[in-house]
Amino acid sequence: MAELLLEVGIALTGIAIAGGLATRSTLSVIPAYIVVGIVLGPNEPTSILGLPVALVGDREFIDVLAELGVVFLLFFLGLEFSVDQLLQDRKRITAVGGIDFLINFGVGAAIGLALGWPIVETLFLAGIVYISSSAVITKSLIQEGWIANDESSPILGTLVFEDILIAVYLALLAAITGGGGLRQAVISVGTAFLFLGGLAAIAWYGAGWLDRVFSTTSDELFVLRIVGLTTLVAGAALALGVSEAVAAFFLGTGLSQTSHVERIEHVVTPARDIFAAVFFFSIGLTTDVTLVAGVAALVGAAVVLTTLAKFVSGTLSGRVYDLTRRRSLRVGLGLVPRGEFSLVLATLAASIGTGRLGTVIPAFTVGYVLVMSILGSVLIQRADTITDALLSRTTSAE
């Protein structure tokens, strides 16, 4: 117990120091959290100037906190929206989700086929580069103050579409690679939709009930009820093979229609920020830079192609929502980060453990997610500078 407590203390202290340095340098804290995870984690570098730095090795407890980070980032995102709003926007959500899928999944599939990979390996690669990171993007939106801006609607619509689609995609890939067949895939997908449908119904009809459940004068009991129910719903979703992030999002939309929103934002936000910081730290822990070096060319090519693809699809999505050119470009920049679901796909590939699925794809994904999460958060932070440059260039050309 003492060793575990010491490792958790080292991790949180490292995160705090890295976040402080990033803030002082006016940089995004997300890359800082990831880098300190690499430095303190069990992989190379294990020493710097002769001093051992591999100080955090037991990841089980860290993994749980990191999972809660994803859950609470999406829960807070749901607080900003209602089921009414999502239903009103369903046609535009379908449109931006379709654009996003066709362009980004298509680019991933083209890379796999150009490399001569078999269809199953190509499907894994396409899924890994297709899906944006809900956690990284949500954290960046909150940090940069975009959450109440017009850009957030097409970004949110794309994330919701992606997260639901990837739940179906994971079920199909697991069935294909695990030999479960079409029947098992249909059961998995049906279970996922029943669970999410139940959550959506609670969000739609249960505002009065949720209002009563969380009515208490004690902040302590209020926080415990919010954290407890959110974690319970996310855990149930995972047990059923459903995205815990989507489940947390729907629970957040339900609470968005109650009188508790302001209190949640006031008393639960610190817990969310701690969990989210540990999530980014955990990405660093999984990064073995020696493995990434072996697939550096593939990572480099994928980063360039998929950054451009996501920028184009995001910009088109902004236009679907009738945003201005500037705001549409910001949507394109906002959707670049990749993260947790790409790692989930890589874990599934590694569990099969044969050939390229067990070696190249996991190493590629770790390097790709590392670069894209850092690059994506920086692009969001520098969005004004980038859009100014792009707009001035197009104006000059005209």
Side-chain angles (χ1 to χ4, degrees), residues 60-370:
E60 189 172 349
F61 188 70
I62 299 288
D63 286 345
V64 174
L65 294 181
E67 198 71 44
L68 288 173
V70 177
V71 166
F72 277 93
L73 282 170
L74 269 294
F75 170 78
F76 270 77
L77 191 61
L79 277 182
E80 301 292 332
F81 296 88
S82 67
V83 176
D84 282 348
Q85 186 178 348
L86 290 174
L87 289 176
Q88 286 172 7
D89 279 348
R90 62 186 183 280
K91 290 183 179 177
R92 290 196 291 194
I93 289 174
T94 303
V96 299
I99 292 170
D100 176 62
F101 177 78
L102 288 174
I103 293 178
N104 294 287
F105 190 89
V107 167
I111 294 173
L113 294 174
L115 292 171
W117 287 11
I119 187 65
V120 171
E121 295 169 1
T122 297
L123 288 175
F124 270 100
L125 179 66
I128 288 165
V129 302
Y130 152 61
I131 189 162
S132 299
S133 169
S134 300
V136 177
I137 293 171
T138 304
K139 173 67 175 173
S140 296
L141 295 183
I142 294 169
Q143 182 176 322
E144 301 303 322
W146 287 24
I147 202 73
N149 292 353
D150 292 341
E151 295 91 325
S152 65
S153 291
I155 291 175
L156 169 72
T158 304
L159 293 181
V160 170
F161 186 95
E162 283 185 350
D163 286 358
I164 292 175
L165 181 64
I166 206 66
V168 177
Y169 195 68
L170 275 170
L172 293 174
L173 272 183
I176 292 170
T177 57
L182 181 61
R183 182 172 178 274
Q184 184 58 45
V186 170
I187 292 173
S188 298
V189 172
T191 303
F193 275 97
L194 279 176
F195 184 81
L196 292 177
L199 275 180
I202 292 173
W204 178 265
Y205 296 108
W209 176 75
L210 290 170
D211 234 331
R212 290 191 294 277
V213 166
F214 293 101
S215 292
T216 173
T217 56
S218 166
D219 281 350
E220 178 182 337
L221 293 179
F222 183 75
V223 172
L224 284 171
R225 290 176 189 180
I226 293 290
V227 173
L229 182 62
T230 306
T231 306
L232 186 63
V233 169
L238 267 184
L240 293 171
V242 181
S243 163
E244 76 283 17
V246 176
F249 173 81
F250 275 111
L251 183 60
T253 62
L255 282 163
S256 72
Q257 302 181 87
T258 70
S259 59
H260 299 304
V261 174
E262 189 175 340
R263 191 178 185 190
I264 293 172
E265 291 175 343
H266 179 65
V267 301
V268 186
T269 294
R272 177 204 67 190
D273 290 344
I274 291 174
F275 294 146
V278 175
F279 165 71
F280 296 113
F281 178 82
S282 74
I283 291 179
L285 288 186
T286 64
T287 302
D288 185 341
V289 292
T290 60
L291 293 179
V292 174
V295 290
L298 177 58
V299 170
V303 165
V304 173
L305 293 173
T306 61
T307 297
L308 291 172
K310 195 62 95 168
F311 178 66
V312 169
S313 66
T315 302
L316 292 174
S317 298
R319 303 302 283 178
V320 170
Y321 274 73
D322 299 322
L323 301 187
T324 63
R325 290 172 63 194
R326 178 182 296 278
R327 290 191 183 278
S328 296
L329 291 172
R330 284 160 62 92
V331 172
L333 295 171
L335 285 167
V336 168
R338 312 301 205 273
E340 62 278 8
F341 283 113
S342 299
L343 294 172
V344 170
L345 279 167
T347 302
L348 176 61
S351 69
I352 301 167
T354 58
R356 198 177 284 119
L357 288 174
T359 54
V360 175
I361 286 182
F364 163 78
T365 307
V366 168
Y368 179 73
V369 167
L370 174 66

